[in-house]
Amino acid sequence: MAVLASSGTPMLGAGLLAAILGLMWLVWPRKEGAIPRRYVVFLSAFAFSSVLPQSVGLPLQIVALVGAFLEWLCTPAAERRGNGVVLTAGLFIGFWALLMFHPNVPDISTGLLGFRKTALAVAGVVFGCAIRERLRVPVERLVINLVTSVLGLSIVGHLWIPAINKLFPKNDADMYTGLYGGEVRMQGLFAGPFHAAIAGVFLIGWAIVRWRSSRVLPKVVLVVGALGMYLTLVRTAYIAVALVVAALVILASSFVSFMKRLGIVSGLALVALMFVEAFGGGKVLTVIESIGNFATDGRFLNRLPEYALGFKMFGESQLVGKGAGSAGDTLGPAFGAHEHVTPHNLLLKILVEGGAIGMSLWLLLIMVLWHALDTRTPPGSLAVVSVLGMFGLGLTGSAIEALPVTYLIFMVAGLGVRAEGGSASSTREELEARPLPLLNGRRGYHLNSR
């Protein structure tokens, strides 16, 4: 240690020291039933991958894609979940790999970037299905802790310690995207404010579903998620949260429960809005009101030509689209004279890049995933609200590209897939991990009822 400390190259010494400590941690004996170290290392690195150099981020993405399928294949057949989900996800990813060689894609490097932006997140559901039954709740908790940490550091850097964000200047947002109403949007350790907003919505949904899982964590996650979403000033995030809450209301077991949830949610929303408006300077209401003024909103009107171009490109190649990345955000310069559009809509992005085949595979994946979930259980409900929140933000953006958050969202969705021929786990931790009591119209989920 002293040799390393006295080295003339402190950065190299610190790196070697970190490597030694990491190796010791990897080989140290673990408690039986603990999360495998490879999961902890990979998920921790991947959660912070947006601030890592490309030389590190690219291998991580390869591990995230290939490793997910290898992990599932190496899981004993008796413990595998989601055979149909994994097969459908593989078909979707495989088709997008073929789209890298579309004549409209200028080169393989651009094709790989486009493939990554669209297909990598879907591999998360495969990794989620590979997690063994006894590890599903601990791994889910690890994912949430990591996303909360990234968003929490972003909030601290945005509000109080700007030096944190300056340490990680890597992001894709330009000045136009980074501002709203003359105010700087929070980006933090994410690639842009839109990515941070998706993380906030994801955390809000988890906190509601898992409200009773512990006394402190869901409350902390809810505050971090809501504050992070607010600071991004992304208007569609409010629509996404509304969809998440509406889904929980609709998933009620009876009409009486439905009306009870609807009334309570409406009352809580009104009280929360009044509180935020009183102490937040009126910004939330201003942002929400601007959603209804889309007909005269310059940001929305500027997207109409892009929508028209996207439908035109789909019309020119309706079966297989225009290739991987042809509707990828920030890839316009890479396509040069080839056709490219920034669609600002998730479904239009899928149509432009993959045509009718790509859209059919996408819809098939969602249908198979829905069929594999038991929405009467916390894991099933969490899968629904997580993916639905991403879709809500997909109304005005290519939400699936918001890596690494979207990969983790699909991973949580995969964790919610029930065992083949059975229902979700009924461990004590699962029985206690029920949604916010005020939103739950009955005493709790009947985990073993069908």
Side-chain angles (χ1 to χ4, degrees):
M1 297 298 179
V3 173
L4 288 176
S6 61
S7 172
T9 55
M11 289 298 295
L12 177 60
L16 289 174
L17 178 60
I20 292 173
L21 293 175
L23 181 61
M24 292 173 61
W25 180 75
L26 284 172
V27 300
W28 200 267
R30 298 274 286 175
K31 292 182 179 180
E32 185 178 355
I35 301 176
R37 297 186 192 277
R38 64 183 184 277
Y39 291 0
V40 179
V41 172
F42 163 69
L43 289 173
S44 299
F46 194 69
F48 287 87
S49 61
S50 60
V51 301
L52 296 176
Q54 187 174 1
S55 59
V56 178
L58 184 58
L60 268 177
Q61 292 168 1
I62 294 174
V63 171
L65 177 62
V66 179
F69 284 93
L70 290 178
E71 190 69 30
W72 188 83
L73 289 171
C74 291
T75 301
E79 298 189 61
R80 288 178 183 169
R81 293 178 293 107
N83 294 342
V85 174
V86 172
L87 175 61
T88 310
L91 291 174
F92 180 86
I93 293 171
F95 180 67
W96 244 261
L98 294 176
L99 290 176
M100 292 191 297
F101 305 98
H102 193 286
N104 184 56
V105 180
D107 52 65
I108 189 63
S109 177
T110 303
L112 281 170
L113 285 173
F115 168 79
R116 174 187 67 84
K117 283 176 172 286
T118 305
L120 179 57
V122 175
V125 77
V126 180
F127 191 21
C129 289
I131 304 300
R132 302 190 183 197
E133 189 77 20
R134 60 182 173 81
L135 294 175
R136 289 201 297 168
V137 172
V139 170
E140 176 195 306
R141 186 71 61 86
L142 173 62
V143 169
I144 294 302
N145 288 340
L146 290 170
V147 176
T148 304
S149 299
V150 178
L151 190 58
L153 284 172
S154 300
I155 293 171
V156 172
H158 182 78
L159 293 178
W160 300 294
I161 312 177
I164 293 179
N165 293 337
K166 291 180 180 179
L167 292 174
F168 309 104
K170 178 185 175 183
N171 59 68
D172 297 328
D174 55 22
M175 185 58 66
Y176 175 77
T177 304
L179 294 174
Y180 177 75
E183 186 169 348
V184 177
R185 290 169 153 174
M186 187 191 75
Q187 300 178 33
L189 277 64
F190 295 89
F194 195 78
H195 298 63
I198 290 181
V201 173
F202 176 43
L203 293 181
I204 291 172
W206 181 87
I208 295 175
V209 174
R210 294 296 197 182
W211 190 259
R212 294 183 63 184
S213 61
S214 71
R215 292 183 178 181
V216 178
L217 183 61
K219 289 75 176 175
V220 173
V221 170
L222 181 62
V223 171
V224 172
L227 181 58
M229 186 196 78
Y230 163 70
L231 292 174
T232 63
L233 299 177
V234 174
R235 293 171 290 177
T236 321
Y238 293 89
I239 298 177
V241 170
L243 289 174
V244 166
V245 175
L248 289 172
V249 172
I250 293 173
L251 290 175
S253 60
S254 66
F255 180 75
V256 174
S257 176
F258 168 81
M259 294 303 298
K260 185 183 296 185
R261 291 187 185 188
L262 182 61
I264 293 174
V265 166
S266 300
L268 287 176
L270 180 60
V271 171
L273 181 60
M274 293 173 61
F275 178 83
V276 173
E277 284 300 295
F279 296 97
K283 295 178 182 178
V284 174
L285 189 58
T286 300
V287 172
I288 295 176
E289 285 179 344
S290 68
I291 298 174
N293 299 328
F294 65 90
T296 57
D297 188 332
R299 285 179 177 263
F300 175 75
L301 295 176
N302 289 338
R303 293 176 177 180
L304 294 180
E306 300 292 334
Y307 293 159
L309 176 58
F311 283 112
K312 175 179 176 294
M313 291 173 62
F314 167 66
E316 294 172 351
S317 182
Q318 298 181 13
L319 188 61
V320 297
K322 290 290 186 175
S326 58
D329 292 350
T330 73
L331 288 183
F335 271 77
H338 295 254
E339 291 185 275
H340 178 274
V341 65
T342 304
H344 298 292
N345 182 274
L346 176 57
L347 296 181
L348 184 56
K349 168 189 168 63
I350 299 295
L351 278 175
V352 171
E353 292 194 7
I357 294 179
M359 180 58 72
S360 298
L361 289 173
W362 176 251
L363 295 177
L364 179 63
L365 173 62
I366 300 303
M367 291 171 59
V368 172
L369 178 60
W370 170 263
H371 181 71
L373 299 173
D374 187 347
T375 58
R376 296 168 297 177
T377 65
S381 295
L382 181 59
V384 171
V385 301
S386 299
V387 176
L388 191 60
M390 186 197 71
F391 270 105
L393 281 150
L395 293 172
T396 58
S398 301
I400 199 172
E401 296 186 13
L403 296 165
V405 180
T406 47
Y407 182 96
L408 299 176
I409 287 174
F410 272 104
M411 182 180 171
V412 168
L415 290 173
V417 172
R418 63 177 181 267
E420 299 296 327
S423 60
S425 171
S426 57
T427 63
R428 179 176 180 180
E429 187 170 11
E430 278 297 329
L431 286 167
E432 295 175 350
R434 297 166 184 162
L436 177 63
L438 291 175
L439 298 182
N440 195 10
R442 43 184 172 156
R443 290 182 60 87
Y445 287 104
H446 298 287
L447 296 183
N448 295 321
S449 62
R450 298 294 299 164

